[in-house]
Amino acid sequence: MRNKLVWLLMAAVLLCAAGIPVKAAEGLPAQKEEEAVTQAEGYGVGPAYKDIYTPEDIRELLEKEEDSSVPAFREGGIVAASHEQAAAQLRNMLKARTTACSLTLTYTNQFSQSLFTQILEDAMAEGSAVPADEGDYIRANFIGYRYSVSFGGGSVNYALQFTYAANGEQEAQVTRRVAEVIADLGLSGKGDYDRIKLIHDYIVSNTSYVNDGTYLCHSAYSALLRGTAVCQGYAGLFQRLCKEAGIETRYITGYGGGEAHAWNIVKLDGQWYNVDVTWDDPIGGSLRYDYFLKSEMDFADHTRDGAYDTAAFHKAYPMAEISYGETGEEGLNRDNYDFSFMGINGEQLSSTGTGRPKLLIFFNTICGNSQRTLQDIAASSWAASGAVDILAVETERHSRAEVEAFRNSYCPQGNIRFGYDLSQTALSAMWQYARLVEAGSSLYYPLLIMIDGDNKVQFYSIGYVPASRIERLYLPLLSTRNTFSDVAYNPGNWKYDAVQYVYEHSIMNGISGTDRFEPDAQLTRAMFATVLYRMAGKPKTAFSAVFRDVAEGKYYTEAILWANSRKIATGMGDGSFGVDNNITREQIAKMLYEFGSKQGYNVSGKEGLDSFTDASSVNGWAVGYMQWAVSAGMISGKPNGDGSYRLDPKGQATRAECAKMLMMFMMQYGN
């Protein structure tokens, strides 16, 4: 009897801790050890509905259904010899929308807080290889359950009763209709983006948000066969159709706008994006894409439940840093096109950049996203300032009068120039830009093309985008593409990359009092000593008259005296340092080597110089330094034009060449 009471107490603690009503088993007659002893019974809510329903709601539902069509608990059913077997067999029951079964676990006779809930979770586990009607799709349709637990005789026994958003017969109809929709949409042979967009558009266009107070409105069945549903039905149908179409998708629950909500994440081009078909459903008006393929930053009004917000989940499903159809901070750096369009005032409008950032917008007058985007931009302070040349071109062959009426309605401020086109020129131009930025084979309005002051296409965006987002993310980058007026923005070019690196790491600056870097100008020995001094943290150094050409108080004084004291750079042998002498490539190699050695870096690497055509011209004192510089990648040689390379050891190094060597040094030694 004492053992029995211990077991009863353990079960009661377990079930109460789970927040589930417990029916105590007090007063049970004594039974033999091998006989099952009933411990408790209660109700549970499906994982996807814990923010919506309580165990008491499930109790009321099942008690009502038990009087009609739902079978009572019964003996016999699933017998599982392992956790994996239990999850697999329970999955089959849930997939078939079985309403009652028993589950006997022969691999344990011990309770734990997560015993059944973990089996249930694994029965609904999602993954890329999971069939479309399992995993998250089951989770989206599973409302709750009733259980009775017993143990003894070497096993744990559950009698189970389930309830769903849609029953087995209704799910069979879903399966048939899903196949028809997939065929009707012509998804076969289309790219992933087009498949996702067609599925999104189908659901948004054919479903209305209606909460009729039944569990059925949560189902994909209701969305697909009745044309009405709440968010769980929208998201569940999106999950099912995407998976059937070969698109990796997850069903997410949490809160949207402060209320329990469901949406999806979808994998496209190796990254995951948010999609909320419910919130894209227009209440009147045209299709919207406000919540289509969005990053977490653009989905801030949605909060995930804890299960979808763990480090492990984010690692398994890494979200894109920016929304699809937008470019990040690195920019595209594509050559711009030169198109001409007719302005509504009779002027010719050009797509070519004019020395200041340009925003080119392709739109449709009857498109809601076009209306909202242009209205928002026109009302912004940055558009009013004239800092950006804004050109909006209508592509659907609406007349000049129609485009003018659009401008007067949505952009009366006059800071956007409007164009129209009664031919196919504007439409053709839009598609050429779409191909240039690799926006996909399916577009929706508006398409925004952002061009920098050097007439390079850098960014693009599809669909509605707030003016504040353009101002925050893109305008600063478009306005500052060129850090220096004489170094063209050209990522991937050695000169641009090196100059940008040393500037961003505060190693080298531009020419004082100007916006120039002068990359092709020679660098003096004093200048290079100053660079190394800056890299060392500018240690305080007292003045002493060591060199006749180094006077007190000059910009380079402390740097040269520091370099000499550390034996990084010595004089010319005639009492001078050679402050105005242009530094050579082999002198840079020596000074960098000595600097690295004094900093404690491993500078032991060496590589032969025989592959260079002028290896014999290296000064004897500089051979070891040049061998180290070549091995560390700081000197790679200059092309001779015939496939061979030269070191040019005595050549005077330009500021850009010096920047390149410093960049390679910093990257090599992790400084």
Side-chain angles (χ1 to χ4, degrees):
M1 185 63 181
R2 181 179 179 184
N3 288 339
K4 183 189 300 181
L5 290 175
V6 171
W7 281 112
L8 288 173
L9 181 59
M10 289 176 63
V13 170
L14 162 67
L15 296 169
C16 288
I20 302 172
V22 175
K23 182 187 294 181
E26 292 181 340
L28 287 174
Q31 299 186 40
K32 295 181 180 179
E33 186 176 342
E34 66 272 10
E35 293 178 332
V37 179
T38 300
Q39 296 299 315
E41 65 179 42
Y43 300 83
V45 181
Y49 291 90
K50 289 183 177 180
D51 296 330
I52 303 174
Y53 298 117
T54 66
E56 182 63 21
D57 295 324
I58 304 302
R59 183 189 67 78
E60 292 178 3
L61 170 72
L62 287 174
E63 287 184 352
K64 184 186 304 180
E65 291 183 342
E66 190 171 310
D67 293 334
S68 55
S69 60
V70 179
F73 296 161
R74 58 186 173 82
E75 298 297 330
I78 303 172
V79 177
S82 67
H83 173 88
E84 293 74 20
Q85 191 178 69
Q89 295 195 57
L90 183 59
R91 181 185 307 118
N92 293 334
M93 292 291 183
L94 298 176
K95 181 176 179 180
R97 303 300 187 266
T98 301
T99 55
C101 71
S102 66
L103 172 62
T104 298
L105 309 179
T106 61
Y107 59 91
T108 182
N109 64 357
Q110 301 293 315
F111 282 113
S112 69
Q113 187 173 352
S114 60
L115 183 61
F116 179 70
T117 55
Q118 190 58 55
I119 294 172
L120 185 61
E121 282 288 341
D122 290 347
M124 297 185 293
E126 180 57 58
S128 59
V130 172
D133 57 351
E134 297 180 10
D136 278 353
Y137 185 72
I138 292 176
R139 181 183 296 267
N141 282 271
F142 182 67
I143 301 294
Y145 59 97
R146 177 185 181 185
Y147 65 88
S148 176
V149 185
S150 64
F151 69 93
S155 64
V156 175
N157 308 290
Y158 291 93
L160 301 165
Q161 195 172 3
F162 305 126
T163 187
Y164 307 91
N167 61 34
E169 181 180 344
Q170 290 164 336
E171 284 302 326
Q173 295 180 54
V174 170
T175 297
R176 290 191 292 271
R177 181 62 185 139
V178 162
E180 295 171 354
V181 170
I182 294 290
D184 292 343
L185 293 178
L187 301 184
S188 178
K190 293 189 180 298
D192 288 352
Y193 171 81
D194 293 331
R195 296 184 190 189
I196 296 168
K197 181 176 180 293
L198 286 168
I199 291 170
H200 167 279
D201 293 356
Y202 173 83
I203 296 173
V204 170
S205 300
N206 292 280
T207 312
S208 298
Y209 188 93
V210 175
N211 187 346
D212 60 11
T214 68
Y215 291 111
L216 188 61
C217 69
H218 296 296
S219 69
Y221 168 85
S222 187
L224 187 60
L225 277 302
R226 300 199 307 174
T228 62
V230 293
C231 59
Q232 294 82 14
Y234 280 79
L237 179 56
F238 185 84
Q239 173 79 20
R240 179 71 183 271
L241 286 171
C242 281
K243 290 273 299 196
E244 294 284 4
I247 303 295
E248 287 191 59
T249 317
R250 289 303 309 263
Y251 177 92
I252 306 294
T253 58
Y255 285 83
E259 298 182 351
H261 193 50
W263 63 94
N264 303 91
I265 59 173
V266 63
K267 190 175 185 180
L268 177 60
D269 295 340
Q271 294 185 298
W272 290 85
Y273 298 88
N274 291 292
V275 175
D276 190 341
V277 285
T278 310
W279 283 15
D280 269 349
D281 188 358
I283 304 175
S286 59
L287 281 170
R288 297 189 309 192
Y289 299 91
D290 296 355
Y291 295 91
F292 180 65
L293 299 178
K294 296 298 181 181
S295 66
E296 291 289 90
M297 182 174 66
D298 293 335
F299 226 63
D301 46 9
H302 290 61
T303 303
R304 298 183 184 188
D305 282 337
Y308 304 105
D309 202 24
T310 64
F313 190 89
H314 284 293
K315 182 178 181 180
Y317 304 96
M319 300 300 295
E321 294 184 0
I322 59 173
S323 297
Y324 193 82
E326 296 181 353
T327 39
E329 293 186 4
E330 68 278 5
L332 295 168
N333 202 40
R334 307 280 175 81
D335 290 334
N336 190 19
Y337 292 119
D338 183 10
F339 292 113
S340 292
F341 310 101
M342 179 61 69
I344 59 175
N345 296 320
E347 76 278 30
Q348 286 291 317
L349 306 177
S350 173
S351 65
T352 303
T354 57
R356 57 176 170 153
K358 186 176 203 122
L359 178 58
L360 179 58
I361 306 171
F362 294 101
F363 75 102
N364 181 356
T365 58
I366 62 174
C367 165
N369 285 332
S370 296
Q371 296 163 2
R372 295 171 62 204
T373 298
L374 281 160
Q375 186 176 42
D376 200 27
I377 291 173
S380 69
S381 59
W382 59 265
S385 72
V388 180
D389 182 18
I390 309 173
L391 178 61
V393 181
E394 213 282 339
T395 63
E396 294 295 331
R397 293 189 291 181
H398 289 103
S399 68
R400 185 191 65 79
E402 289 173 306
V403 176
E404 187 174 17
F406 177 96
R407 181 200 63 184
N408 294 339
S409 296
Y410 298 101
C411 310
Q413 296 87 343
N415 46 32
I416 300 177
R417 295 185 294 154
F418 280 84
Y420 73 103
D421 176 37
L422 299 180
S423 64
Q424 294 287 327
T425 301
L427 187 63
S428 174
M430 181 182 74
W431 278 106
Q432 286 198 55
Y433 274 110
R435 287 189 286 271
L436 177 71
V437 300
E438 300 176 1
S441 58
S442 178
L443 291 177
Y444 51 92
Y445 289 109
L447 171 63
L448 284 72
I449 302 294
M450 291 165 249
I451 303 161
D452 69 13
D454 290 326
N455 199 31
K456 296 281 189 179
V457 175
Q458 298 295 355
F459 308 110
Y460 75 97
S461 182
I462 301 173
Y464 169 69
V465 56
S468 59
R469 179 174 177 80
I470 298 174
E471 181 179 27
R472 184 177 74 253
L473 294 183
Y474 300 127
L475 292 190
L477 298 170
L478 290 173
S479 302
T480 60
R481 303 312 289 182
N482 292 343
T483 304
F484 300 103
S485 62
D486 55 354
V487 182
Y489 177 80
N490 191 16
N493 173 269
W494 75 267
K495 186 180 294 186
Y496 170 82
D497 289 345
V499 170
Q500 198 68 17
Y501 183 93
V502 295
Y503 174 74
E504 290 177 354
H505 287 77
S506 301
I507 301 171
M508 293 179 70
N509 299 316
I511 303 303
S512 179
T514 75
D515 62 356
R516 304 189 310 278
F517 186 84
E518 295 189 1
D520 298 322
Q522 270 69 48
L523 195 76
T524 67
R525 285 169 52 83
M527 289 178 181
F528 193 71
T530 303
V531 168
L532 296 181
Y533 182 61
R534 190 180 297 129
M535 289 170 62
K538 301 173 69 172
K540 189 67 178 173
T541 304
F543 177 76
S544 61
V546 177
F547 300 107
R548 56 184 171 81
D549 57 348
V550 179
E552 187 172 6
K554 300 293 185 180
Y555 81 88
Y556 50 72
T557 301
E558 287 191 62
I560 290 175
L561 296 177
W562 164 82
N564 180 67
S565 69
R566 300 282 289 167
K567 295 188 173 16
I568 293 171
T570 54
M572 302 300 295
D574 59 358
S576 72
F577 182 81
V579 292
D580 294 324
N581 293 359
N582 293 332
I583 196 167
T584 65
R585 287 159 62 84
E586 62 184 10
Q587 288 173 350
I588 288 179
K590 175 185 183 297
M591 292 170 72
L592 275 177
Y593 176 93
E594 296 295 352
F595 174 78
S597 176
K598 301 306 186 295
Q599 294 294 109
Y601 303 145
N602 181 2
V603 292
S604 61
K606 297 288 180 67
E607 185 171 324
L609 306 179
D610 292 343
S611 61
F612 298 97
T613 57
D614 59 348
S616 61
S617 66
V618 178
N619 277 315
W621 62 264
V623 171
Y625 298 125
M626 292 294 281
Q627 288 175 333
W628 165 77
V630 170
S631 72
M634 280 170 279
I635 292 180
S636 55
K638 296 181 178 181
N640 291 317
D642 59 358
S644 62
Y645 291 84
R646 66 187 186 279
L647 289 168
D648 191 20
K650 297 182 178 63
Q652 296 177 351
T654 65
R655 286 170 54 83
E657 289 173 342
C658 175
K660 172 68 179 297
M661 294 176 73
L662 289 167
M663 179 182 74
M664 297 306 297
F665 178 88
M666 295 283 281
M667 294 175 67
Q668 172 75 16
Y669 294 103
N671 198 341

